Amino acid sequence: MTTIAVMAAPPREGLVATDLAATSPLTEAEATECYAAMLRDVLVAVSESGADLLVNYRPDDLLPAEYVTDTAAAAEVRALAAAALDDPSDVRFEPQVGSTFDARAGNTITHLLREEGVVSAAVVEPTTPFLTRSLIDNAAMKLRRSEAVLGVSTRGRTYYAGFTEPVDFADAFAAPALETLTDRSRAAGHAVDFLPIHPVVETGADLLDVVPALNARVAAERIAPANTAAFVDRTGLRVVHDDGEPQLVRD
């Protein structure tokens, strides 16, 4: 069984999804709402899979001072999880440790594998709305044969990074993360396998891929990330083509 650490920050305006707000029709408040919706969908997907869910949150002492509020980061993330999940009682919450994402992800993976003795551990971010139970379980099967399994996303990014043995995580997620993580894994002598390509949502350009896919899944009555789909519907986001070029607009 894989332990999956969801690397979550409290959904506060200006702290999360800043690139999304800067490159799309969404306001900073709406981009933050989008982040929270995707985080809820990721938590649901992991909780419904065969994996153990670890919510690895950024604590107040790792937040810039201007984003520290009267509500503790841990309490805010716990409340979001409680609202997303039917039964959050089995969910584990732990603070992140480290000054950079690479350090925080690496510390989590290494601790789980070496100190807690889990068979395999993975990190995902709340920017992966199409993460599903079947995808997570497929990754767990691949981790029985390979020491590293990576989820392929667009522009050299990853949406899932799972390991049965640690690697050198210093700058391991440097762009293009897919190549960098592969190189680090191979340097450690690990076999590497991959999951099917899925988009992540970090910028407005990513929404050009995600919005039509969401709308099509909803129209076809197929499995779709419910919270993210509801956000897209509520904000009226859609993609139109102007002289052959896709444009993200809102009703």
Side-chain angles (χ1 to χ4, degrees):
M1 183 177 293
T2 302
T3 297
I4 296 184
V6 179
M7 309 298 286
R12 295 173 184 170
E13 187 175 335
L15 175 65
V16 299
T18 53
D19 288 343
L20 182 60
T23 57
S24 76
L26 299 176
T27 65
E28 282 196 352
E30 289 169 335
T32 302
E33 185 183 350
C34 182
Y35 175 93
M38 293 189 294
L39 174 54
R40 288 193 292 270
D41 284 328
V42 169
L43 295 178
V44 169
V46 178
S47 68
E48 291 181 345
S49 73
D52 288 331
L53 172 57
L54 166 61
V55 180
N56 206 204
Y57 63 89
R58 285 181 67 184
D60 293 300
D61 59 358
L62 290 185
L63 300 178
E66 61 268 31
Y67 299 116
V68 176
T69 70
D70 292 337
T71 301
E76 191 167 351
V77 173
R78 283 178 179 272
L80 187 147
L85 304 174
D86 293 334
D87 181 11
S89 61
D90 290 335
V91 180
R92 176 180 168 188
F93 294 85
E94 294 288 345
Q96 297 177 16
V97 177
S99 58
T100 66
F101 177 82
D102 302 70
R104 294 191 289 269
N107 286 337
T108 296
I109 292 290
T110 302
H111 175 79
L112 288 169
L113 293 174
R114 289 185 173 169
E115 304 301 324
E116 299 194 11
V118 303
V119 175
S120 56
V123 292
V124 299
E125 293 188 78
T127 53
T128 313
F130 288 113
L131 191 70
T132 62
R133 175 179 60 186
S134 60
L135 199 63
I136 293 167
D137 292 341
N138 181 27
M141 293 294 292
K142 288 177 177 289
L143 281 165
R144 295 181 182 180
R145 301 183 297 271
S146 301
E147 290 89 354
V149 172
L150 305 174
V152 180
S153 191
T154 55
R155 300 199 296 279
R157 294 172 293 179
T158 61
Y159 61 85
Y160 177 102
F163 304 88
T164 61
E165 295 290 341
V167 300
D168 178 3
F169 283 104
D171 298 322
F173 289 84
L178 185 64
E179 289 188 27
T180 309
L181 286 166
T182 299
D183 290 344
R184 292 297 176 84
S185 299
R186 294 300 293 154
H190 298 344
V192 182
D193 205 347
F194 301 96
L195 297 173
I197 187 168
H198 281 286
V200 296
V201 179
E202 297 175 344
T203 68
D206 296 325
L207 288 174
L208 294 174
D209 298 320
V210 168
V211 168
L214 277 175
N215 291 337
R217 283 180 172 272
V218 171
E221 299 182 352
R222 307 297 292 178
I223 295 175
N227 294 284
T228 308
F231 170 81
V232 168
D233 179 68
R234 187 165 57 252
T235 52
L237 287 174
R238 59 190 179 92
V239 173
V240 299
H241 282 73
D242 184 8
D243 293 329
E245 291 296 322
Q247 300 289 333
L248 186 67
V249 300
R250 57 192 308 174
D251 295 331

